[in-house]
Amino acid sequence: MEKNDILNYELINNNSSAHIYFMSINPVDEAKEASNGYSVKNSDIDNFNNKLKSSFSNKYVDINSSIQFDTSDGLHYSNETYEEILNTLTQKLSATGQIKCGGASSGDLLAKLEELPLDTKAAILAKNPCTI
């Protein structure tokens, strides 16, 4: 995280009613990614996440330590993994009481979405946007 990132966050946070959260950077499969020409290291991701958490502890959402992920190239996740990330993120944020979806409580709408395919969820959420 650079100085400009922090200044931008402070500018938005101090002059807006928006609630900003910082989601962890998620892990990679280093063996698969190396064979595909990538060079991201989980230790670098962990260091960055630790800086995020220490800087924004009350606004930090850790997904990294809780996901099981599938990737074909080591870096980009399968649709199922992206769906797990979305579900985990919405569960963690809805636990704060900050999410409202289409005027309903987050639990009402998100519970109904749980078993639907990702593209169907996206279509429903586009018509019933969640606000934090």
Side-chain angles (χ1 to χ4, degrees):
M1 178 168 284
E2 295 184 20
K3 183 178 180 180
N4 286 340
D5 296 328
I6 294 171
L7 292 175
N8 288 336
Y9 164 75
E10 289 173 350
L11 178 67
I12 292 168
N13 194 48
N14 294 333
N15 297 297
S16 171
S17 62
H19 297 277
I20 300 171
Y21 291 87
F22 296 88
M23 187 179 89
S24 61
I25 304 298
N26 296 316
V28 296
D29 182 324
E30 291 181 17
K32 282 184 182 177
E33 69 152 5
S35 67
N36 284 292
Y38 301 113
S39 61
V40 177
K41 302 291 180 216
N42 283 314
S43 60
D44 293 336
I45 291 171
D46 291 341
N47 288 335
F48 184 82
N49 285 339
N50 288 333
K51 288 178 184 176
L52 271 181
K53 186 175 184 177
S54 67
S55 297
F56 306 103
S57 59
N58 62 335
K59 298 288 189 172
Y60 177 75
V61 182
D62 178 24
I63 306 295
N64 180 303
S65 63
S66 61
I67 67 166
Q68 300 293 319
F69 67 96
D70 178 46
T71 174
S72 60
D73 67 357
L75 190 62
H76 301 98
Y77 298 132
S78 66
N79 286 341
E80 292 80 13
T81 299
Y82 285 119
E83 188 170 354
E84 181 182 349
I85 291 168
L86 173 64
N87 288 337
T88 303
L89 179 63
T90 53
Q91 287 170 0
K92 288 184 179 223
L93 289 177
S94 67
T96 68
Q98 296 290 323
I99 292 182
K100 303 285 183 222
C101 298
S105 73
S106 59
D108 295 341
L109 183 59
L110 296 174
K112 293 173 185 174
L113 294 175
E114 187 68 33
E115 300 299 319
L116 297 175
L118 187 58
D119 59 339
T120 305
K121 282 183 193 182
I124 292 170
L125 288 172
K127 293 179 184 176
N128 299 283
C130 293
T131 58
I132 298 173

